[in-house]
Amino acid sequence: MSSAESRVCIIVPAYNEEVNIRPVIEDLRRCHPEFKIVVINDCSEDGTEKAVRELGQTVLNLPVNLGIGGAVQTGLKFARDNGYDIAVQFDGDGQHRAIEIERIITPVINGEADVVIGSRFLSPGNYKGSFSRRLGISVFRFVNSLMVGSRILDNTSGFRAYNRDAISFLARIYPQDYPEPEAVIELHRNRFSIMEVPVVMRERTGGKSSIGVFGSIYYMIKVLLGIMIAFSRKPIPREEPEDG
Amino acid sequence: MGSRIQILAITASILVILLVIFLVRQRKLREEYCIIWIIGSLSLIVFSIWRGLLDIIGNLVGVYYAPAFLLLVGIMFGALGFLHLMVVISTHTDQNKNMAQEIALLKGKLEELTARREPSG
């Protein structure tokens, strides 16, 4: 299977991203005009939907705000229902670069991994986050690496590629509030192979990060608990592959 | 015999039962939840009428001050009820999420179909 033959769906979750969404879509279209772009509008109160429509892309409007997990899962359900071979999760805030998509889908296309995470930490020293953010990232790196049995450096990265099996699994089960680190464990527990490839991310171009100062403490506790519980769960039997 | 507190407890319990039945009749409370309230209120009435029962149970479990046992049971009952509600809310949140996702997907599909039928407009 080559990149030209695979049908790829790019899932872009967006909540109040009317400023950022336009350059994000333009970037995606420039690099990959052949891929399907689907924006999940998580009940935005601004002109996100209008901006996406003006660019002629598919937008799925959630009637209530579900948060990042619920939005991404909507995109995964879309990819599953429409039979896409590969789904790419791509943030609507402009921090991911479309040019790196090739890099994260190649191992999926070649069958080297079910899931590929675009990692900020495999290439040296390009990430500058706040102290609490870096602390959180280190804690998740330690805990998740311990549980997965191999090093997963960037557990909070939302730049990921999935194959069909991973799409249909995550369409059924996807963590909700701060889903990325927990999803790594769920995937690992269900025997999906996970690979990291180095990517460079941009600093945020507009808006604010979804996690504030007080939120980060809650975030850490909640996610750590979620990871432990996810680890203790039994693997879920896979769905029979559907042909046709 | 009939001390004031006994009458108060019995009256309160009966009022709770009536309120619960009223809520079910108004379809504001499901039958499955009303049963637990009626059982709770009825047992309070039993304890209010037969005051010795509390002492008997207290002796049985080895509690020196029997009413404290009643209080303990009451608190545990409340805590379990609270936990149960959280389970119900979690289920609803999950169902709500699935429905919201389904609605978004269906709306998207509908738009696509409409656009295909009316290519001009």
Side-chain angles (χ1 to χ4, degrees), chain A residues 53 61 63 70 73-74 77 176, chain B residues 97-98 100-101 104-105 108 111:
Chain A
R53 286 200 195 280
N61 293 298
Q73 195 183 26
T74 309
K77 286 181 175 178
Q176 291 311 304
Chain B
K97 181 209 75 181
N98 285 330
Q101 291 177 333
L105 289 165
E111 274 168 28

Side-chain angles (χ1 to χ4, degrees), chain A residues 53 59-64 66 70 73-74 77-78 81 176, chain B residues 96-105 107-109 111-112:
Chain A
R53 286 200 195 280
V59 55
L60 297 179
N61 293 298
L62 287 165
V64 290
L66 293 183
Q73 195 183 26
T74 309
K77 286 181 175 178
F78 177 87
D81 295 348
Q176 291 311 304
Chain B
N96 204 357
K97 181 209 75 181
N98 285 330
M99 281 194 279
Q101 291 177 333
E102 204 65 28
I103 287 170
L105 289 165
K107 275 202 302 195
K109 193 165 250 177
E111 274 168 28
E112 196 191 305

Side-chain angles (χ1 to χ4, degrees), chain A:
Chain A
M1 198 159 55
S2 76
S3 160
E5 289 163 29
S6 312
R7 294 180 67 225
V8 179
C9 177
I10 301 173
I11 298 164
V12 186
Y15 174 64
N16 291 346
E17 295 286 5
E18 70 177 355
V19 182
N20 295 315
I21 199 74
R22 202 179 288 271
V24 165
I25 290 172
E26 281 163 358
D27 188 23
L28 286 169
R29 278 206 306 204
R30 197 166 40 243
C31 294
H32 293 288
E34 73 280 22
F35 294 168
K36 172 77 178 176
I37 299 168
V38 54
V39 177
I40 317 299
N41 173 23
D42 195 7
C43 211
S44 298
E45 289 127 22
D46 65 355
T48 303
E49 183 192 353
K50 192 163 161 273
V52 180
R53 286 200 195 280
E54 277 168 8
L55 292 167
Q57 302 303 316
T58 304
V59 55
L60 297 179
N61 293 298
L62 287 165
V64 290
N65 180 267
L66 293 183
I68 180 81
V72 168
Q73 195 183 26
T74 309
L76 291 161
K77 286 181 175 178
F78 177 87
R80 178 196 61 189
D81 295 348
N82 293 282
Y84 284 94
D85 300 309
I86 292 170
V88 173
Q89 187 185 329
F90 194 92
D91 279 3
D93 63 3
Q95 61 169 320
H96 301 155
R97 299 156 74 223
I99 198 158
E100 311 261 23
I101 287 179
E102 195 65 42
R103 221 184 241 180
I104 70 162
I105 63 173
T106 304
V108 178
I109 291 167
N110 295 337
E112 294 166 61
D114 300 312
V115 178
V116 176
I117 301 174
S119 172
R120 289 161 280 188
F121 307 116
L122 287 174
S123 46
N126 66 62
Y127 182 71
K128 300 173 212 66
S130 67
F131 172 74
S132 62
R133 189 163 270 249
R134 276 177 303 159
L135 177 74
I137 286 166
S138 315
V139 170
F140 295 137
R141 179 183 305 171
F142 176 74
V143 174
N144 271 13
S145 298
L146 205 68
M147 292 192 172
V148 172
S150 64
R151 274 169 85 75
I152 302 281
L153 297 174
D154 199 351
N155 289 281
T156 54
S157 164
F159 188 32
R160 297 179 177 190
Y162 307 105
N163 69 3
R164 263 173 186 271
D165 284 346
I167 292 169
S168 74
F169 173 76
L170 292 172
R172 285 197 296 158
I173 288 150
Y174 198 77
Q176 291 311 304
D177 293 338
Y178 305 108
E180 286 88 6
E182 214 179 310
V184 170
I185 300 298
E186 292 276 13
L187 285 163
H188 171 73
R189 287 293 290 165
N190 287 278
R191 299 192 181 81
F192 288 95
S193 55
I194 303 165
M195 185 193 258
E196 270 186 297
V197 297
V199 297
V200 176
M201 292 188 192
R202 290 189 198 100
E203 297 294 311
R204 291 180 57 86
T205 50
K208 278 197 294 182
S209 172
S210 54
I211 304 166
V213 182
F214 285 105
S216 53
I217 297 165
Y218 169 72
Y219 168 72
M220 288 271 287
I221 295 170
K222 196 254 160 205
V223 175
L224 279 175
L225 194 68
I227 286 169
M228 311 267 183
I229 291 174
F231 188 71
S232 73
R233 286 194 186 112
K234 282 194 184 125
I236 293 141
R238 299 244 185 132
E239 271 176 348
E240 290 296 310
E242 286 172 63
D243 287 311

Side-chain angles (χ1 to χ4, degrees), chain B residues 32-93:
Chain B
E32 60 199 84
Y33 299 128
C34 102
I35 294 167
I36 203 149
W37 283 99
I38 290 175
I39 291 172
S41 305
L42 283 178
S43 45
L44 270 183
I45 292 177
V46 171
F47 280 120
S48 308
I49 294 169
W50 181 14
R51 300 180 71 170
L53 182 64
L54 196 58
D55 291 319
I56 293 168
I57 295 173
N59 275 330
L60 224 58
V61 292
V63 175
Y64 175 70
Y65 182 59
F69 177 70
L70 191 63
L71 211 61
L72 180 72
V73 171
I75 289 169
M76 275 166 57
F77 185 75
L80 276 178
F82 192 47
L83 186 64
H84 172 72
L85 285 182
M86 283 186 166
V87 171
V88 173
I89 289 173
S90 301
T91 311
H92 283 183
T93 307

